[in-house]
């Protein structure tokens, strides 16, 4: 029997202050609520389903949370980089800033987690060919920032409307990788030195098979997309955020997070929905980390 195709679960650990910065609320003190409250719930969910997962971590907090990363790695999970400071828009940073965001985050997280970091995901999936080339130069072996869906164009416009820094739209790569290949591939931009694992989308319409999208569409539509992605037989890379396991009221989250998708849904309902989706995928797929998929060969 042929080996079953794989799926990869990844969770971006954007902190509350960095989420709010994305909404134009600047200069907030670093908030550790995600690490104290959400990450243990994420690890518990992975344990319950008996699957490994990939944590994309903002390396600003690499050392202060070292025990958490070591616990995750010891549990079979992978720690990868979600930049140093999660500054946005990411792709417009100059070469020196980019090198710090990429290189320094990789070094800090490797040291803090005790396992070499080989993967990167950009804030708001904002990568260009120049950024992808630098990701490879900084020693990463894969990138997971390409989101090949036209919906990203709409979401970038919405982010722009929410943002206090209105000038940034002129520097945003609005079209991004809407038409990029949807299966894992060698990155052309990095001349084959980097494997690209795009976020999963449906085959024809390229609707996101991405957790935040589930807050915007009826459950039957999201389910249909998920089933079609599973039927395709292609690797399924499913992304969610730590905030998907935070409760605005009972976890005492900054009330300005109410504008964030899903934050008005009570934790029990959000957790059940996420668990159900991950369990559906895990029933049909072998769940790997990106690192394990690299070791197997990306087409498996
Ligand atoms: Zn992020």
């Amino acid at each position: 029997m042929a080996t079953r195709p794989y799926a990869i679960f990844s969770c971006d650990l954007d902190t509350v202050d960095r989420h709010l910065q994305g909404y134009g609320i600047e200069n907030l003190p670093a908030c550790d609520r995600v690490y104290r409250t959400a990450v243990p719930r994420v690890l518990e969910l992975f344990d319950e389903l008996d699957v490994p997962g990939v944590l994309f971590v903002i390396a600003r907090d690499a050392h202060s949370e070292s025990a958490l990363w070591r616990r995750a790695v010891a549990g079979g999970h992978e720690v990868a980089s979600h930049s140093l400071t999660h500054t946005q828009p990411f792709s417009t940073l100059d070469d020196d800033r980019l090198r710090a965001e990429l290189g320094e985050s990789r070094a800090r997280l490797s040291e803090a987690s005790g396992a070499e970091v080989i993967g990167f995901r950009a804030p708001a999936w904002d990568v260009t060919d120049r950024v992808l080339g630098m990701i490879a130069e900084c020693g990463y072996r894969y990138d997971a920032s390409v989101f090949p869906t036209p919906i990203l164009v709409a979401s970038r416009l919405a982010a722009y409307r929410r943002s206090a820094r209105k000038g940034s739209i002129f520097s945003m790569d609005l079209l991004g990788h809407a038409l990029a290949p949807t299966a894992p591939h060698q990155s052309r931009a990095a001349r084959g030195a980097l494997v690209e694992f795009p976020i999963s989308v449906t085959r024809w319409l390229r609707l996101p098979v991405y957790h935040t999208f589930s807050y915007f569409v009826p459950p039957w539509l999201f389910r249909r997309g998920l089933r079609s992605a599973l039927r395709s037989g292609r690797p399924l890379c499913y992304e969610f955020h730590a905030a998907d396991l935070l409760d605005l009221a009972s976890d005492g989250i900054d009330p300005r997070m109410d504008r964030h998708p899903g934050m008005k849904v009570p934790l029990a309902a959000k957790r059940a929905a996420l668990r159900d989706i991950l369990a559906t995928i895990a029933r049909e797929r072998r769940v790997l980390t990106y690192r394990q998929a690299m070791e197997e060969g990306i087409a498996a």
Side-chain angles (χ1 to χ4, degrees):
M1 201 182 103
T3 327
R4 273 191 303 161
Y6 63 78
I8 296 167
F9 297 153
S10 62
C11 180
D12 296 358
L13 305 192
D14 299 49
T15 56
V16 170
D17 59 292
R18 295 285 84 189
H19 272 302
L20 290 173
Q21 189 266 338
Y23 293 113
I25 302 166
E26 307 273 355
N27 303 319
L28 293 167
C31 171
D32 69 355
R33 180 61 74 190
V34 154
Y35 306 127
R36 298 287 74 77
T37 308
V39 176
R41 290 174 185 161
V42 171
L43 295 177
E44 191 184 277
L45 185 56
F46 286 151
D47 274 355
E48 206 177 301
L49 298 169
D50 196 21
V51 293
V54 182
L55 304 178
F56 282 97
V57 177
I58 297 171
R60 175 192 74 181
D61 306 320
H63 289 297
S64 56
E65 304 299 334
S66 173
L68 201 51
W69 317 137
R70 283 172 189 266
R71 183 182 140 203
V73 167
H77 308 295
E78 176 182 348
V79 170
S81 169
H82 194 33
S83 83
L84 185 59
T85 64
H86 205 274
T87 183
Q88 299 183 58
F90 192 72
S91 66
T92 58
L93 296 177
D94 66 30
D95 284 2
D96 287 346
R97 289 267 332 258
L98 260 186
R99 213 165 274 125
E101 289 284 336
L102 297 167
E104 207 176 314
S105 68
R106 195 171 96 81
R108 280 197 202 185
L109 283 165
S110 297
E111 195 184 297
S113 70
E116 192 198 0
V117 165
I118 62 166
F120 182 77
R121 175 172 291 147
W125 316 283
D126 185 13
V127 287
T128 57
D129 285 1
R130 178 180 73 105
V131 177
L132 289 167
M134 287 189 71
I135 293 170
E137 258 173 50
C138 288
Y140 292 95
R141 290 172 53 214
Y142 74 83
D143 172 73
S145 311
V146 168
F147 200 171
T149 174
I151 301 281
L152 190 56
V153 180
S155 104
R156 287 197 166 144
L157 282 170
Y160 163 72
R161 278 206 306 274
R162 290 189 311 248
S163 170
R165 294 178 302 161
K166 292 294 186 200
S168 63
I169 194 164
F170 301 108
S171 53
M172 281 172 88
D173 177 17
L174 269 181
L175 269 184
H177 292 82
L179 302 173
T182 58
H185 57 277
Q186 300 286 334
S187 172
R188 186 187 44 79
R191 288 175 214 77
L194 196 68
V195 170
E196 180 60 50
F197 288 96
I199 312 297
S200 284
V201 296
T202 62
R203 190 153 183 199
W204 301 111
L205 292 175
R206 296 191 168 212
L207 295 177
V209 183
Y210 156 60
H211 199 67
T212 303
F213 192 58
S214 72
Y215 300 120
F216 293 100
V217 294
W220 64 265
L221 181 59
F222 192 78
R223 281 269 152 195
R224 179 188 283 183
L226 179 61
R227 278 198 304 273
S228 113
L230 285 168
R231 266 199 315 271
S232 75
R234 282 179 310 192
L236 202 164
C237 300
Y238 194 78
E239 177 193 3
F240 63 102
H241 283 81
D244 293 319
L245 290 177
L246 281 183
D247 191 296
L248 188 63
S250 66
D251 288 332
I253 307 300
D254 187 318
R256 290 172 291 184
M257 268 294 273
D258 68 348
R259 68 198 73 197
H260 188 69
M263 287 312 289
K264 289 180 176 137
V265 184
L267 173 65
K270 284 203 292 192
R271 188 189 189 280
L274 177 62
R275 187 194 189 283
D276 190 43
I277 290 166
L278 298 186
T280 300
I281 298 170
R283 267 196 300 276
E284 295 193 32
R285 297 294 181 97
R286 297 179 299 132
V287 181
L288 305 176
T289 61
Y290 287 110
R291 191 194 306 275
Q292 289 168 330
M294 294 283 295
E295 284 161 6
E296 279 202 6
I298 56 161

